[in-house]
Amino acid sequence: MDLEGSSTMSKQAEFAVILKMNPMFADLGADELQRLSGLCHTQQLATGEVLFQKGDPGDALFGVRRGQIRIETGASDGSRLTLNFMGSGDLFGEVAVLDGQDRTADATAGEPSELFVLRRQDFLGFLEREPKVAVRLIELLCQRIRWQSERMEESVLQPLPVRLARRLCALAEDFGSEVHISQEQLGIFVGAARESVNRQLQTWRRDGIVDLQRGRIMLHNMTKLTAVARND
């Protein structure tokens, strides 16, 4: 038996599942997904390893097979701002891979990770043959713009508990009830000082909503946390 070939086919099947779960590719048939996933290869990253930096060429679309990728950018004072977390099953890099321009942020592995990689040249060739995918991609990018606008509105109008609860609920959707993130990273993510984040988390700990471990936040009462996120 060709074990290497069997392993390759298995990974391509996994990538096809990830693609099918993404709104951009959800309308594709099995044959189309198979052809697209057959164009991918995989890449391994160690914890802290940089996948790409702001200004690098946008030459690939990525899917997370396992692990976590942090999308970050630098502030003028030298601090780091975490824009998003990508976990297993997430796709990212759509903007740069479409326009061929430079990356607009950094991507770093938050833990040992394995990625599916679809090169820009192969992806664009596929879009030329499958225009309905291009239409779905336009819709997805519009959703991203709306998401960014909502985050900007949150940072200006919503109090810290609401912003913090919404971020934790969003992270829980991807990573479950055990969120691996430091309070400093979470503070950067919601635009607040670590001390302010810690005070709020301690309040929620006393209320039985969360438990705090080193580098981890355990979400014990999603009903209450969701209520805070909705600003009920």
Side-chain angles (χ1 to χ4, degrees), residues 126-145:
F126 181 83
L127 289 182
E128 290 175 358
R129 298 187 298 272
E130 304 288 347
K132 65 182 180 181
V133 180
V135 173
R136 291 296 295 154
L137 183 58
I138 292 171
E139 293 173 348
L140 178 66
L141 294 175
C142 290
Q143 291 173 12
R144 293 286 178 87
I145 293 173

Side-chain angles (χ1 to χ4, degrees), residues 9-46:
M9 290 299 294
S10 175
K11 289 183 179 181
Q12 290 177 359
E14 289 183 41
F15 191 36
V17 171
I18 291 176
L19 292 172
K20 185 66 175 178
M21 293 169 59
N22 188 279
M24 188 195 316
F25 304 105
D27 294 334
L28 294 185
D31 291 342
E32 295 166 322
L33 288 170
Q34 184 178 7
R35 290 197 298 273
L36 186 57
S37 61
L39 300 174
C40 80
H41 67 277
T42 57
Q43 180 176 349
Q44 308 278 345
L45 294 174

Side-chain angles (χ1 to χ4, degrees), residues 145-155 166:
I145 293 173
R146 291 179 183 272
W147 184 88
Q148 292 287 357
S149 297
E150 289 172 358
R151 300 294 80 74
M152 181 65 70
E153 180 180 341
E154 280 183 4
S155 67
R166 289 180 180 179

Side-chain angles (χ1 to χ4, degrees), residues 135-185:
V135 173
R136 291 296 295 154
L137 183 58
I138 292 171
E139 293 173 348
L140 178 66
L141 294 175
C142 290
Q143 291 173 12
R144 293 286 178 87
I145 293 173
R146 291 179 183 272
W147 184 88
Q148 292 287 357
S149 297
E150 289 172 358
R151 300 294 80 74
M152 181 65 70
E153 180 180 341
E154 280 183 4
S155 67
V156 174
L157 301 178
Q158 297 296 340
L160 175 60
V162 175
R163 303 201 311 270
L164 192 57
R166 289 180 180 179
R167 296 286 66 74
L168 288 173
C169 287
L171 289 169
E173 290 182 4
D174 284 333
F175 304 108
S177 61
E178 182 176 326
V179 178
H180 290 253
I181 185 173
S182 70
Q183 293 183 28
E184 182 178 5
Q185 289 175 321

Side-chain angles (χ1 to χ4, degrees), residues 7-219:
S7 175
T8 299
M9 290 299 294
S10 175
K11 289 183 179 181
Q12 290 177 359
E14 289 183 41
F15 191 36
V17 171
I18 291 176
L19 292 172
K20 185 66 175 178
M21 293 169 59
N22 188 279
M24 188 195 316
F25 304 105
D27 294 334
L28 294 185
D31 291 342
E32 295 166 322
L33 288 170
Q34 184 178 7
R35 290 197 298 273
L36 186 57
S37 61
L39 300 174
C40 80
H41 67 277
T42 57
Q43 180 176 349
Q44 308 278 345
L45 294 174
T47 301
E49 186 173 352
V50 175
L51 176 63
F52 57 73
Q53 293 181 305
K54 183 177 181 179
D56 286 349
D59 57 359
L61 171 70
F62 299 97
V64 183
R65 187 186 187 206
R66 59 179 176 83
Q68 182 195 83
I69 302 296
R70 297 195 307 267
I71 307 300
E72 303 174 318
T73 190
S76 58
D77 61 358
S79 62
R80 304 293 296 167
L81 175 63
T82 301
L83 303 176
N84 209 348
F85 290 90
M86 298 297 171
S88 179
D90 286 335
L91 293 177
F92 62 99
E94 299 94 334
V95 174
V97 81
L98 279 172
D99 63 16
Q101 300 299 307
D102 295 344
R103 299 288 184 185
T104 57
D106 304 338
T108 305
E111 59 187 61
S113 303
E114 182 176 10
L115 306 178
F116 294 110
V117 183
L118 184 60
R119 298 187 188 282
R120 169 172 154 74
Q121 182 177 357
D122 296 332
F123 184 51
L124 292 184
F126 181 83
L127 289 182
E128 290 175 358
R129 298 187 298 272
E130 304 288 347
K132 65 182 180 181
V133 180
V135 173
R136 291 296 295 154
L137 183 58
I138 292 171
E139 293 173 348
L140 178 66
L141 294 175
C142 290
Q143 291 173 12
R144 293 286 178 87
I145 293 173
R146 291 179 183 272
W147 184 88
Q148 292 287 357
S149 297
E150 289 172 358
R151 300 294 80 74
M152 181 65 70
E153 180 180 341
E154 280 183 4
S155 67
V156 174
L157 301 178
Q158 297 296 340
L160 175 60
V162 175
R163 303 201 311 270
L164 192 57
R166 289 180 180 179
R167 296 286 66 74
L168 288 173
C169 287
L171 289 169
E173 290 182 4
D174 284 333
F175 304 108
S177 61
E178 182 176 326
V179 178
H180 290 253
I181 185 173
S182 70
Q183 293 183 28
E184 182 178 5
Q185 289 175 321
L186 192 56
I188 293 173
F189 204 31
V190 300
R194 179 192 178 282
E195 293 76 12
S196 299
V197 169
N198 179 261
R199 283 195 296 270
Q200 184 60 54
L201 290 175
Q202 292 293 346
T203 297
W204 286 343
R205 182 185 60 79
R206 291 191 292 270
D207 293 339
I209 298 175
V210 304
D211 189 22
L212 306 177
Q213 305 290 336
R214 184 176 180 84
R216 293 181 299 167
I217 300 174
M218 317 295 290
L219 309 180

